[in-house]
Amino acid sequence: MTVRVLALVGSLRAGSHNRQLAEAAVKHAPGHVSVEIHEGLADIPFYNEDIDVEGSVPGAAADLRAAVAGADALLLVSPEYNGTIPAVLKNAIDWLSRPYGTGAITGKPVAVIGTAFGSYGGVWAQDEARKSAGIAGGAVLEEAKLSVAGSVTRFAETHPGDDTEVATAVLQVLEQLATKANA
């Protein structure tokens, strides 16, 4: 059985190294895992309970919920913006957390990876993403981590998918997600 992993990328920039890291996950997924990058996070309005009404949920938010509900696991790919999680990724988690206790993220295995320019690779943002996803109801794999430092120089001429160390680490994270999804 193929484990379906949905990747949510916290950067909206087309040339984002975090987008490329998600592409590396697609490229290096083991045979029993498929990874799909969810498009459309930019189209989701900020979470507001007044517009989260059954039958009239904004289309992009409903699409996100349906995509997550259809996935076996989530891979959050987070850059670090001013020392924390990007708003677009936090907003996605907020939409997925509702309705409270039964949101699409509830019980779903979640791993967080990312890259950033700094010397720690965005660990603060990734820790915040783990915390937020866990509080939202996700089954966060605390041990499944990948923080790639120095993204601007490291990936200046090499796509993360062509970096052997990154490819190996991404594969390990996906194997951990698959194991948790099949548990």
Side-chain angles (χ1 to χ4, degrees):
M1 180 175 110
T2 300
V3 174
R4 295 164 301 160
V5 175
L6 186 68
L8 304 181
V9 180
S11 175
L12 301 178
R13 192 171 60 84
S16 160
H17 293 125
N18 281 280
R19 170 78 184 197
Q20 293 174 0
L21 191 58
E23 292 167 356
V26 171
K27 178 179 179 179
H28 296 292
H32 63 287
V33 175
S34 70
V35 178
E36 176 188 344
I37 301 171
H38 183 76
E39 305 294 344
L41 292 187
D43 300 326
I44 301 172
F46 281 111
Y47 185 80
N48 176 345
E49 199 169 353
D50 291 342
I51 63 172
D52 187 8
V53 178
E54 190 173 340
S56 64
V57 171
D63 291 347
L64 172 66
R65 285 176 171 168
V68 171
D72 299 309
L74 285 176
L75 179 66
L76 305 182
V77 187
S78 184
E80 187 169 276
Y81 291 175
N82 298 313
T84 194
I85 184 175
V88 69
L89 190 55
K90 175 64 169 72
N91 188 48
I93 294 168
D94 290 344
W95 276 101
L96 294 171
S97 72
R98 300 299 181 134
Y100 180 75
T102 61
I105 197 171
T106 302
K108 198 78 60 172
V110 179
V112 181
I113 64 173
T115 185
F117 177 66
S119 59
Y120 299 108
V123 294
W124 290 345
Q126 293 161 37
D127 287 346
E128 290 293 319
R130 281 183 202 88
K131 174 184 169 188
S132 184
I135 291 171
V140 177
L141 282 70
E142 295 291 340
E143 68 284 359
K145 297 180 180 182
L146 172 59
S147 301
V148 185
S151 61
V152 173
T153 53
R154 182 164 184 168
F155 303 128
E157 297 180 19
T158 302
H159 188 286
D162 298 327
D163 181 303
T164 305
E165 182 182 350
V166 169
T168 300
V170 166
L171 176 66
Q172 290 172 346
V173 168
L174 292 173
E175 288 286 7
Q176 290 171 297
L177 267 177
T179 298
K180 182 72 171 182
N182 285 326

